[in-house]
Amino acid sequence: DIAEWDGRLWALNTDLSPNVVEYSDDGVIDSWDAGNYMYPNRSSKGMGLARHGNGMLLVFYEDSVYRIESDPVDLGGTLSLYTKNTVDGNVGAASTYSILNSQGITYFASERGIYRIKSGRGPAEYLSYPIQEYWKGLNQARLQYIVAFELVGPGNEVVFLVSTDTQTQHNAVLIW
């Protein structure tokens, strides 16, 4: 996945590793210094990136979510430009295409259901309580294909396209 944040391009799940986050040089999208990378999570596959306001970039793995913030720190002669912190160590994204920021809130689909992250500092909030049984009836093999998008209008709803039972195409819509 690729995202623009803090004057740089950011990439997750690259040729270097399925869990590394790499970033371009400041203001130069086609220059990637060999030292511009970090590992927020070394044990899980990277699923996606999302700008969460101007102050942070959210990094989604299959089993967790992290935030990266601009926070230059001198580490004994080596300058670290960014800090990484856990947002939620218990849930991650099932689909890269399910990650969406709408009006400052980031939504995503996990294996357990739909979640949202408001502040980026606390755990993800589980939204699927009302549809838990319905979620269990989705085609679990197709969770990786869930797609989210924003339906622009008076309510600015967030829409998730899902597949039920043994369907091999999206055949249902969930709206928040």
Side-chain angles (χ1 to χ4, degrees), residues 86-135:
T86 304
V87 174
D88 197 314
N90 296 311
V91 66
S95 166
T96 300
Y97 304 108
S98 76
I99 303 165
L100 173 73
N101 186 286
S102 174
Q103 298 182 9
I105 299 172
T106 302
Y107 297 83
F108 65 98
S110 79
E111 291 181 358
R112 291 176 250 169
I114 305 298
Y115 286 79
R116 72 178 169 196
I117 297 172
K118 289 184 175 181
S119 73
R121 306 228 174 263
E125 179 184 356
Y126 182 62
L127 300 177
S128 292
Y129 286 116
I131 61 161
Q132 280 181 322
E133 290 307 311
Y134 182 81
W135 191 267

Side-chain angles (χ1 to χ4, degrees), residues 97-98 100 107-115 126-140 142-143 145-151 156-164 170-176:
Y97 304 108
S98 76
L100 173 73
Y107 297 83
F108 65 98
S110 79
E111 291 181 358
R112 291 176 250 169
I114 305 298
Y115 286 79
Y126 182 62
L127 300 177
S128 292
Y129 286 116
I131 61 161
Q132 280 181 322
E133 290 307 311
Y134 182 81
W135 191 267
K136 291 176 186 174
L138 296 182
N139 183 340
Q140 299 299 302
R142 287 194 43 82
L143 293 181
Y145 301 109
I146 293 175
V147 175
F149 62 92
E150 187 175 38
L151 188 61
N156 284 332
E157 292 101 349
V158 174
V159 177
F160 292 87
L161 302 178
V162 297
S163 306
T164 60
H170 296 309
N171 68 327
V173 176
L174 305 174
I175 301 175
W176 265 268

